[in-house]
Coordinates of all heavy atoms in Angstrom, one line a residue:
V29 N 53.4 47.9 112.1 CA 53.8 48.9 113.1 C 53.8 48.2 114.4 O 52.8 47.7 114.9 CB 52.7 50.1 113.1 CG1 53.1 51.1 114.2 CG2 52.6 50.7 111.8
A30 N 54.9 48.1 115.0 CA 55.1 47.4 116.2 C 55.2 48.4 117.4 O 56.0 49.3 117.4 CB 56.4 46.6 116.2
K31 N 54.3 48.1 118.4 CA 54.3 48.9 119.6 C 54.5 48.1 120.8 O 53.5 47.4 121.3 CB 53.0 49.7 119.7 CG 53.1 51.1 120.5 CD 53.4 51.0 121.9 CE 52.2 50.5 122.7 NZ 52.4 50.6 124.2
P32 N 55.7 48.0 121.4 CA 55.9 47.1 122.6 C 55.3 47.8 123.9 O 55.0 49.0 123.8 CB 57.4 47.0 122.6 CG 57.9 48.3 122.1 CD 56.9 48.7 121.0
A33 N 55.2 47.1 124.9 CA 54.9 47.5 126.2 C 55.9 48.6 126.6 O 57.1 48.5 126.3 CB 54.8 46.5 127.3
E34 N 55.4 49.7 127.2 CA 56.3 50.8 127.6 C 57.4 50.4 128.5 O 58.5 51.0 128.5 CB 55.5 51.9 128.2 CG 54.8 51.5 129.5 CD 53.8 52.6 129.9 OE1 54.4 53.7 130.4 OE2 52.6 52.5 129.9
Q35 N 57.2 49.3 129.4 CA 58.3 48.9 130.3 C 59.4 48.2 129.7 O 60.5 48.1 130.2 CB 57.6 48.0 131.4 CG 56.5 48.5 132.2 CD 55.1 48.3 131.7 OE1 55.0 48.2 130.4 NE2 54.1 48.3 132.5
T36 N 59.2 47.7 128.4 CA 60.3 46.9 127.8 C 60.6 47.5 126.4 O 60.8 46.7 125.5 CB 59.8 45.5 127.7 OG1 58.6 45.4 127.1 CG2 59.8 44.8 129.1
S37 N 60.7 48.8 126.3 CA 61.0 49.4 125.0 C 62.4 49.1 124.5 O 62.6 49.0 123.3 CB 60.7 50.9 125.0 OG 59.4 51.2 125.3
L38 N 63.3 49.0 125.4 CA 64.7 48.8 125.0 C 65.0 47.5 124.3 O 65.6 47.4 123.3 CB 65.7 49.0 126.2 CG 65.8 50.5 126.7 CD1 66.7 50.5 127.9 CD2 66.4 51.4 125.7
I39 N 64.5 46.4 125.0 CA 64.7 45.1 124.3 C 64.0 45.0 123.0 O 64.4 44.4 122.1 CB 64.4 43.9 125.3 CG1 64.8 42.6 124.7 CG2 62.8 43.9 125.5 CD1 64.7 41.5 125.8
A40 N 62.8 45.7 122.9 CA 62.0 45.6 121.6 C 62.8 46.4 120.6 O 62.9 46.0 119.4 CB 60.7 46.3 121.9
H41 N 63.5 47.5 120.9 CA 64.2 48.2 120.0 C 65.4 47.4 119.5 O 65.8 47.4 118.4 CB 64.8 49.5 120.7 CG 65.7 50.4 119.8 ND1 67.1 50.2 119.8 CD2 65.4 51.3 118.9 CE1 67.6 51.0 118.9 NE2 66.6 51.7 118.3
F42 N 66.0 46.7 120.4 CA 67.1 45.8 120.0 C 66.6 44.8 119.1 O 67.3 44.4 118.1 CB 67.7 45.1 121.4 CG 68.8 44.1 121.1 CD1 70.1 44.5 120.7 CD2 68.5 42.8 121.2 CE1 71.1 43.6 120.5 CE2 69.5 41.8 120.9 CZ 70.8 42.2 120.6
G43 N 65.5 44.2 119.4 CA 64.9 43.2 118.5 C 64.6 43.8 117.0 O 64.9 43.1 116.0
A44 N 64.1 44.9 117.0 CA 63.8 45.6 115.7 C 65.2 45.8 114.9 O 65.2 45.6 113.7 CB 63.1 46.9 115.9
Q45 N 66.2 46.2 115.7 CA 67.5 46.4 114.9 C 68.0 45.1 114.3 O 68.6 45.1 113.2 CB 68.5 47.0 115.9 CG 68.1 48.4 116.5 CD 67.8 49.4 115.4 OE1 68.6 49.5 114.4 NE2 66.7 50.0 115.4
L46 N 67.8 44.0 115.0 CA 68.2 42.7 114.5 C 67.4 42.4 113.3 O 67.9 41.8 112.3 CB 68.0 41.6 115.5 CG 69.0 41.7 116.8 CD1 68.6 40.5 117.7 CD2 70.4 41.6 116.4
M47 N 66.1 42.7 113.2 CA 65.4 42.4 112.1 C 65.8 43.3 110.9 O 65.8 42.8 109.8 CB 63.8 42.7 112.4 CG 63.2 41.7 113.4 SD 61.5 42.1 113.7 CE 61.4 41.4 115.3
Y48 N 66.1 44.5 111.1 CA 66.6 45.4 110.0 C 67.9 44.8 109.5 O 68.2 44.8 108.3 CB 66.8 46.8 110.5 CG 65.5 47.5 110.9 CD1 65.4 48.3 112.0 CD2 64.4 47.4 110.1 CE1 64.3 49.0 112.3 CE2 63.2 48.0 110.5 CZ 63.2 48.8 111.6 OH 62.0 49.5 111.9
Q49 N 68.8 44.4 110.4 CA 70.1 43.8 110.0 C 69.9 42.5 109.2 O 70.7 42.2 108.3 CB 71.0 43.5 111.2 CG 71.5 44.7 112.0 CD 72.2 44.3 113.2 OE1 72.8 43.2 113.3 NE2 72.2 45.2 114.2
A50 N 68.8 41.8 109.5 CA 68.6 40.5 108.8 C 67.9 40.8 107.4 O 67.7 39.9 106.6 CB 67.6 39.7 109.6
G51 N 67.6 42.1 107.1 CA 67.0 42.4 105.8 C 65.6 42.9 105.7 O 65.1 43.1 104.6
V52 N 64.9 43.0 106.9 CA 63.6 43.5 106.8 C 63.6 44.9 106.4 O 64.3 45.7 107.1 CB 62.9 43.3 108.2 CG1 61.5 43.9 108.2 CG2 62.8 41.8 108.5
P53 N 62.9 45.3 105.4 CA 63.0 46.8 105.0 C 62.3 47.7 106.1 O 61.4 47.3 106.8 CB 62.2 46.8 103.7 CG 62.1 45.4 103.3 CD 62.1 44.6 104.5
F54 N 62.9 48.9 106.2 CA 62.3 49.9 107.1 C 60.9 50.2 106.7 O 60.0 50.4 107.6 CB 63.1 51.2 107.1 CG 64.4 51.1 107.8 CD1 65.6 50.9 107.1 CD2 64.4 51.3 109.2 CE1 66.8 50.9 107.8 CE2 65.6 51.3 109.9 CZ 66.8 51.1 109.2
E55 N 60.6 50.1 105.4 CA 59.2 50.4 104.9 C 58.2 49.3 105.4 O 57.0 49.6 105.4 CB 59.2 50.5 103.4 CG 60.0 51.6 102.8 CD 61.5 51.3 102.8 OE1 61.9 50.2 103.1 OE2 62.3 52.3 102.4
A56 N 58.8 48.1 105.7 CA 57.9 47.0 106.0 C 57.7 47.0 107.6 O 56.6 46.4 108.0 CB 58.5 45.7 105.6
L57 N 58.5 47.5 108.3 CA 58.4 47.4 109.8 C 58.7 48.8 110.4 O 59.9 49.3 110.2 CB 59.4 46.4 110.4 CG 59.6 46.3 111.9 CD1 58.2 46.0 112.6 CD2 60.6 45.3 112.2
Q58 N 57.8 49.4 111.1 CA 58.0 50.6 111.8 C 57.9 50.3 113.3 O 56.9 49.7 113.7 CB 56.9 51.6 111.4 CG 57.1 52.1 109.9 CD 58.3 52.9 109.7 OE1 58.5 53.9 110.5 NE2 59.1 52.6 108.7
F59 N 58.8 50.8 114.0 CA 58.9 50.6 115.5 C 58.5 51.9 116.2 O 59.0 53.0 116.0 CB 60.4 50.3 115.8 CG 60.6 50.1 117.3 CD1 60.1 49.1 118.0 CD2 61.4 51.1 118.0 CE1 60.4 49.0 119.4 CE2 61.6 51.0 119.3 CZ 61.1 50.0 120.1
V60 N 57.5 51.8 117.1 CA 56.9 52.9 117.8 C 56.9 52.6 119.3 O 56.5 51.5 119.7 CB 55.5 53.2 117.3 CG1 54.9 54.4 118.0 CG2 55.4 53.4 115.8

């Protein structure tokens, strides 16, 4: 469960989307 700093949520969201595109399952990584 990944919780980035509140000031940089957008870039963290972008990074999570890249991880999902690379094949990381949603069940393995939750973005909060």
Side-chain angles (χ1 to χ4, degrees):
V29 178
K31 208 294 283 186
E34 58 188 292
Q35 296 95 331
T36 50
S37 297
L38 287 177
I39 192 169
H41 177 267
F42 176 75
Q45 297 307 309
L46 292 179
M47 293 181 203
Y48 294 139
Q49 291 175 28
V52 175
F54 285 98
E55 295 80 5
L57 171 61
Q58 293 292 308
F59 173 73
V60 179

